[in-house]
Amino acid sequence: MRLRMVVRIGMCLSVALFVLAIGYYTFVRLETTDRFRDANPYVLVPSDCVGVMEVENLNLFLNELPTLNYSAELEELCSHDLYRFLLDVWENYTSRQVHGWNNGMSRMLVSWHRSSDPHGQVVYLGMGTADEQLLADMLQEYAPTDFHPKREKYRDKELIIFPLGTDEYLVCYPEGDFLVLSLQKNLIERVVDACLDGTSLADDPVFVGMLQQKKPTHSLTLYGRTSAIPFLQSGEGGWSEYVLYMNSDVLYLTGDTYVPDSCDGSPRTLFADAPVYYGDSLFATTHQDSLQRYVDGACERDALERNLFEQGIANLSKDAVWSMVVDMQSVAEDPQRFAGYFPRFILDRSRLLQSFVVSAQYSWVGDRLSHFWVFTYQN
């Protein structure tokens, strides 16, 4: 009896310790996840970047992609980007593992330092220094057989350099609750400089003011260092935001344009000088009477007889201060003709977006200039 009791007590203690261990691990993981969510990655982003993409719920975004009729276009749009490569690595690894990056990878930030160049990107992942080995394991099959990460110091900060099988290197900088990754060592060094010297986006007053506006949760947001329409850019230091929404045939970008107080001129006066265009593939106007006339004219046609360009005009709000409808195939054929009307990150990718008809409208909401872009897919 006594031996049996000892065995029973030992088993109970083992179960209790196991439960406590699981509980502790869950608590630590949840605490880590909350810390990732609350951490500010913008203290790491160099303030001279040309654009930023922030994904609040990456899993939700990736699960939604296959349901879109234009998913192939989006896949091609980002197929050469560094973050796309990292997502492929993550998906390939986690499909074979019980544990993965699900918590850390739910939030991702990408900064662009040269438009449309994967070597000009920096990716910031919500992962801590404890995940360095996990990253090494995930990159193992993409690396040469003699895979040995190299460690270097820059301003007393440790950089980890992972060789890839393509004669390239992935440079990693673990800092706080984030892993910062780039194919260019000099960009990682600029991240270190921004963090140590106080020259990050967290020190840019216009950008910080933009972030303080309430954003929807689980969203993908793009930030560009330009006005949403470049002809409105009346000085340096302006930013525009684009919160992205998607359904099966339509992609929406909505947000505001922000300019520093020191900017010369006003978008209100610049709108007044904008020309009116009307043709088979471009409609743009700031004049209420012409907007009313063209919208009414498009609405008079039977809805079943309208093409997507005409339907875009018919759907315009008559209260906007500036409106545009354009067939992206025309933009792809002559991008410079439309340079004043599209933010650079859209114009540079016009060839990959030529299957869409775009409508854009701008309105004043108090003292904020709000924009609403609609990309409608045409098969």
Side-chain angles (χ1 to χ4, degrees):
M1 286 290 293
R2 190 170 298 174
L3 179 60
R4 186 178 300 173
M5 182 64 70
V6 170
V7 172
R8 185 176 299 173
I9 292 173
M11 291 179 61
C12 290
L13 284 174
S14 298
V15 172
L17 288 173
F18 175 76
V19 172
L20 285 172
I22 292 297
Y24 176 76
Y25 173 81
T26 303
F27 171 76
V28 170
R29 197 61 182 173
L30 287 174
E31 185 181 42
T32 302
T33 303
D34 291 338
R35 191 171 70 247
F36 290 159
R37 189 180 297 114
D38 297 335
N40 180 12
Y42 292 105
V43 299
L44 301 170
V45 182
S47 60
D48 61 353
C49 66
V50 298
V52 179
M53 178 180 73
E54 181 176 2
V55 186
E56 287 289 347
N57 191 322
L58 189 57
N59 293 327
L60 182 66
F61 175 71
L62 292 177
N63 290 335
E64 193 174 358
L65 278 181
T67 68
L68 308 175
N69 290 331
Y70 49 89
S71 59
E73 281 78 3
L74 287 186
E75 286 288 342
E76 186 179 0
L77 196 62
C78 61
S79 60
H80 301 294
D81 289 320
L82 172 59
Y83 66 87
R84 180 69 255 180
F85 165 72
L86 292 171
L87 292 178
D88 289 341
V89 172
W90 168 56
E91 186 175 5
N92 185 40
Y93 181 83
T94 54
S95 66
R96 297 179 283 106
Q97 303 292 328
V98 176
H99 303 295
W101 261 354
N102 292 327
N103 288 330
M105 283 288 281
S106 65
R107 187 183 188 192
M108 180 178 70
L109 199 74
V110 181
S111 62
W112 279 270
H113 302 266
R114 294 187 296 275
S115 182
S116 303
D117 180 4
H119 290 82
Q121 298 174 10
V122 180
V123 176
Y124 311 76
L125 300 176
M127 302 171 63
T129 55
D131 291 309
E132 295 169 22
Q133 185 56 49
L134 178 60
L135 178 62
D137 293 342
M138 297 172 74
L139 291 172
Q140 186 74 48
E141 66 180 84
Y142 297 86
T145 53
D146 56 344
F147 175 74
H148 294 293
K150 180 182 177 182
R151 295 177 183 268
E152 295 184 4
K153 288 281 189 178
Y154 176 74
R155 297 185 66 177
D156 291 328
K157 296 292 186 179
E158 185 173 64
L159 309 183
I160 309 169
I161 303 174
F162 297 95
L164 302 177
T166 56
D167 295 328
E168 293 186 311
Y169 295 85
L170 183 66
V171 185
C172 172
Y173 167 44
E175 176 59 36
D177 294 329
F178 292 92
L179 289 183
V180 186
L181 305 161
S182 179
L183 296 173
Q184 292 288 312
K185 183 183 174 185
N186 71 307
L187 288 180
I188 295 294
E189 291 173 347
R190 284 164 61 182
V191 169
V192 175
D193 292 339
C195 187
L196 296 180
D197 299 337
T199 56
S200 71
L201 283 182
D203 302 288
D204 183 323
V206 177
F207 189 84
V208 171
M210 179 171 58
L211 289 182
Q212 290 173 346
Q213 303 297 319
K214 185 176 180 181
K215 301 292 189 303
T217 57
H218 305 315
S219 62
L220 186 153
T221 307
L222 301 168
Y223 302 101
R225 187 185 287 279
T226 178
S227 169
I229 29 180
F231 78 72
L232 291 178
Q233 189 76 27
S234 55
E236 298 296 327
W239 283 91
S240 54
E241 66 170 353
Y242 309 84
V243 181
L244 183 142
Y245 303 90
M246 300 177 294
N247 65 28
S248 58
D249 290 304
V250 183
L251 185 152
Y252 305 90
L253 294 173
T254 181
D256 298 314
T257 291
Y258 298 80
V259 296
D261 296 334
S262 59
C263 256
D264 297 328
S266 164
R268 293 181 188 270
T269 59
L270 293 173
F271 269 128
D273 299 328
V276 176
Y277 289 106
Y278 183 76
D280 293 335
S281 60
L282 171 65
F283 168 74
T285 184
T286 60
H287 303 293
Q288 294 293 322
D289 54 347
S290 63
L291 176 62
Q292 179 84 40
R293 183 169 64 255
Y294 287 121
V295 170
D296 289 345
C299 290
E300 288 175 359
R301 291 179 57 86
D302 187 279
L304 296 177
E305 296 180 359
R306 299 176 201 150
N307 57 36
L308 276 180
F309 179 75
E310 294 168 332
Q311 186 62 47
I313 296 176
N315 290 340
L316 291 175
S317 167
K318 301 175 184 178
D319 299 324
V321 295
W322 187 81
S323 305
M324 177 181 73
V325 180
V326 61
D327 189 326
M328 286 301 294
Q329 185 170 350
S330 298
V331 181
E333 292 170 354
D334 187 7
Q336 288 308 309
R337 176 190 174 198
F338 299 89
Y341 298 93
F342 283 89
R344 182 65 183 270
F345 74 92
I346 295 178
L347 195 68
D348 286 346
R349 296 162 176 81
S350 57
R351 182 185 64 82
L352 299 174
L353 294 169
Q354 60 184 331
S355 298
F356 293 84
V357 170
V358 175
S359 62
Q361 291 201 280
Y362 288 73
S363 303
W364 290 104
V365 180
D367 59 350
R368 293 185 294 112
L369 179 61
S370 293
H371 51 258
F372 187 61
W373 292 71
V374 180
F375 291 72
T376 304
Y377 182 62
Q378 49 183 349
N379 296 323

